[in-house]
């Protein structure tokens, strides 16, 4: 059987072209785009504004959904994790994080991840494959529909973070396409400045992003203030060591819009990278590169078997933060969300919480 077209991965213009290729008028493309992205419908049958005969044809030729939700986990703190499967049966995970003023959806750019960061559970999966633009967009649609209902207007703004499984800058093309599709005012209308992309430090892509006018915010995972330690924790550092990485960051900084900043993420590992001396090294490193329009997010390590690390104590994290502040570096402590359901940073590896792990609720919704 020939593979069906995946329409969620098409821009509005591409969808109109596709529809035209099916011998239908172009405006049907706009109609389908709105049904998929603005109304977030998940089947052809729901698109009752399309003629029945056209719908029958569409069913044969094209798929509305390519991801299947396998399970949904709800944390004590309200965070929701979705474990989905691609059409070729690979795991995709998405996290919905309700917050006071707006919600954040953390989506995956790859199934598994090729980088081998020693403190991250996703790394243990290896790379299964890079996701398509449509698979990235669909993750957002699934999470929004579960939170607010199919086709409902969104009650408030949504922020997106490409901080789930995978290295977004090794999925650059589909990621940028997904962002274009999601920014469309006739669709989800989530614009790039509502999106943050986190990278382990793929230097050429940082430089490339600096040249793109309509772009997402940038976060860079540092985890260590010296090459020696960073080589151990994040082997990608052997390819692009700190000097090169920070030089690219400086280039990126020059391209920031007025008032805009970018972020360094620093996972806090007990007894490994959290000493006062390391805080001084980190501040000196950023200052030496003249990086002023940055903030540092300190992320307490999220444990998961078999990762060999523990989170730093809150006192240690506070002390680290104070030292950064005393050297003019703004730092914030990220509050862990969804740890009990394996939804927190570095915990996405298609895990099923076993009985007794927190009071997690497991709902099969597919
Ligand atoms: N590959 C990208 C995006 C995914 S990771 C990147 O490396 O930036 C998102 C963030 O979670 C990164 O800053 C990463 O350093 C952090 N992280 C990974 N494992 C973690 C863990 N076990 N506990 C806390 N943070 C972790």
């Amino acid at each position: 059987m020939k593979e069906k077209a995946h329409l969620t991965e098409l821009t509005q213009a591409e969808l109109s072209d596709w529809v035209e290729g099916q011998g239908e008028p172009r405006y049907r493309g706009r109609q389908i785009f709105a049904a998929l992205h603005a109304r977030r419908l998940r089947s052809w049958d729901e698109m009752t504004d399309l003629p029945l005969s056209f719908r029958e044809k569409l069913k044969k030729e094209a798929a509305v959904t390519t991801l299947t939700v396998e399970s949904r986990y709800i944390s004590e703190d309200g965070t929701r994790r979705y474990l989905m499967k691609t059409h070729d049966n690979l795991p995709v995970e998405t996290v919905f994080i309700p917050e006071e003023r707006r919600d954040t959806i953390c989506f995956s750019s790859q199934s598994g991840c090729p980088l081998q960061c020693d403190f991250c559970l996703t790394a243990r999966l290896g790379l299964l494959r890079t996701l398509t633009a449509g698979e990235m967009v669909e993750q957002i649609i699934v999470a929004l529909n579960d939170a607010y209902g199919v086709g409902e207007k969104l009650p408030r703004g949504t922020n997106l973070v490409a901080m789930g499984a995978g290295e977004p800058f090794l999925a650059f093309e589909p990621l940028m396409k997904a962002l274009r599709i999601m920014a469309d005012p006739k669709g989800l209308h989530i614009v790039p400045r509502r999106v943050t992309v986190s990278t382990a430090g793929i230097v050429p892509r940082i430089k490339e992003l600096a040249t793109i006018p309509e772009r997402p915010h940038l976060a860079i995972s540092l985890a260590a203030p010296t090459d020696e330690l960073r080589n151990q924790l994040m082997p990608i550092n052997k390819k692009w060591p700190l000097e090169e990485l920070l030089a690219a960051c400086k280039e990126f900084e020059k391209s920031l819009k007025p008032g805009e900043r970018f972020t360094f993420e620093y996972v806090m590992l007990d007894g490994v990278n959290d000493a006062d001396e390391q805080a001084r090294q980190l501040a000196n490193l950023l200052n030496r590169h003249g990086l002023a329009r940055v903030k540092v997010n300190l992320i307490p390590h999220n444990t998961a078997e078999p990762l060999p690390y523990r989170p730093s104590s809150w006192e240690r994290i506070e002390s680290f933060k104070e030292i950064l502040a005393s050297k003019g570096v703004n730092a914030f402590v990220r509050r862990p969300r969804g740890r009990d359901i394996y939804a927190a940073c570095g915990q996405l590896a298609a895990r099923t919480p076993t009985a007794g792990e927190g009071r997690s609720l497991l709902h099969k919704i597919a």
Side-chain angles (χ1 to χ4, degrees):
M1 209 178 86
K2 85 173 158 108
E3 220 187 291
K4 289 184 181 177
H6 291 172
L7 298 191
T8 358
E9 67 196 32
L10 302 183
T11 61
Q12 206 177 156
E14 287 170 343
L15 193 48
S16 295
D17 292 345
W18 184 86
V19 165
E20 212 167 37
Q22 300 291 316
E24 298 283 334
R26 284 184 77 78
Y27 73 88
R28 293 273 181 230
R30 293 195 290 277
Q31 228 176 337
I32 295 173
F33 188 88
L36 293 173
H37 301 281
R39 300 164 68 202
R40 305 188 305 279
L41 302 182
R42 303 289 285 153
S43 73
W44 295 121
D45 287 331
E46 289 164 277
M47 300 184 198
T48 47
D49 50 341
L50 298 176
L52 188 60
S53 58
F54 185 37
R55 269 187 277 154
E56 291 305 322
K57 187 163 143 198
L58 283 167
K59 271 186 210 173
K60 289 199 199 86
E61 297 293 330
V64 177
T65 60
T66 66
L67 296 179
T68 321
V69 182
E70 293 252 301
S71 32
R72 174 181 77 161
Y73 306 90
I74 304 183
S75 163
E76 288 173 342
D77 70 17
T79 300
R80 296 172 176 212
R81 173 167 69 99
Y82 305 91
L83 172 57
M84 310 184 221
K85 285 281 157 70
T86 59
H87 67 94
D88 49 349
N89 213 25
L90 300 174
V92 174
E93 284 173 288
T94 312
V95 180
F96 181 87
I97 308 157
E99 283 164 317
E100 257 162 50
R101 289 181 46 222
R102 52 168 42 92
D103 304 314
T104 299
I105 298 173
C106 175
F107 68 99
S108 296
S109 53
Q110 297 182 311
S111 180
C113 184
L115 305 184
Q116 293 169 322
C117 303
D118 203 37
F119 45 80
C120 179
L121 196 62
T122 312
R124 308 289 164 127
L125 292 177
L127 176 65
L128 302 169
R129 85 167 155 77
T130 292
L131 299 179
T132 64
E135 287 165 338
M136 294 184 211
V137 176
E138 257 194 63
Q139 293 176 60
I140 312 307
I141 293 174
V142 165
L144 288 174
N145 281 350
D146 187 50
Y148 303 125
V150 178
E152 293 300 319
K153 280 239 176 316
L154 303 178
R156 54 195 188 148
T158 308
N159 288 341
L160 303 184
V161 292
M163 293 187 188
E167 167 49 49
F169 278 1
L170 296 178
F172 198 74
E173 305 290 326
L175 173 75
M176 295 311 278
K177 181 161 192 200
L179 297 187
R180 277 202 304 281
I181 295 171
M182 293 193 285
D184 194 318
K186 291 285 181 344
L188 283 166
H189 201 188
I190 301 176
V191 293
R193 70 185 153 74
R194 292 260 154 253
V195 184
T196 302
V197 174
S198 175
T199 179
I202 311 296
V203 162
R205 295 305 199 187
I206 296 173
K207 293 181 182 166
E208 186 174 345
L209 194 70
T211 66
I212 300 176
E214 287 299 310
R215 60 158 189 245
H217 299 290
L218 179 64
I220 291 157
S221 304
L222 268 189
T226 62
D227 279 324
E228 194 190 354
L229 182 59
R230 199 165 186 265
N231 284 343
Q232 284 171 31
L233 296 176
M234 301 180 68
I236 190 76
N237 193 68
K238 293 177 193 157
K239 186 153 188 187
W240 289 294
L242 283 170
E243 284 301 307
E244 272 183 57
L245 176 59
L246 294 178
C249 290
K250 186 64 202 172
E251 210 174 303
F252 186 81
E253 190 183 81
K254 289 186 192 143
S255 77
L256 290 175
K257 303 212 167 74
E260 196 191 351
R261 291 193 294 175
F262 72 104
T263 308
F264 286 108
E265 294 156 290
Y266 193 96
V267 53
M268 299 291 294
L269 308 167
D270 180 37
V272 175
N273 66 357
D274 62 351
D276 287 350
E277 175 58 17
Q278 287 161 317
R280 282 189 285 272
Q281 286 173 332
L282 176 59
N284 291 342
L285 183 70
L286 302 185
N287 289 335
R288 187 159 54 74
H289 282 270
L291 292 164
R293 296 171 64 183
V294 299
K295 60 178 173 150
V296 174
N297 272 350
L298 301 172
I299 313 177
H301 175 64
N302 298 304
T303 51
E305 282 294 330
L307 301 177
Y309 300 102
R310 289 182 313 267
S312 310
S313 68
W314 292 110
E315 300 82 71
R316 188 86 302 280
I317 297 174
E318 274 307 311
S319 169
F320 200 92
K321 183 178 141 185
E322 289 310 315
I323 291 170
L324 292 178
S326 73
K327 288 177 166 283
V329 176
N330 261 319
F332 301 85
V333 182
R334 184 130 25 107
R335 192 161 55 101
R337 299 290 302 262
R339 272 182 176 172
D340 56 334
I341 55 160
Y342 284 103
C345 294
Q347 289 188 315
L348 297 182
R351 284 254 164 116
T352 304
T354 50
E357 277 183 313
R359 288 187 316 186
S360 321
L361 304 172
L362 169 61
H363 296 264
K364 284 277 180 205
I365 58 171

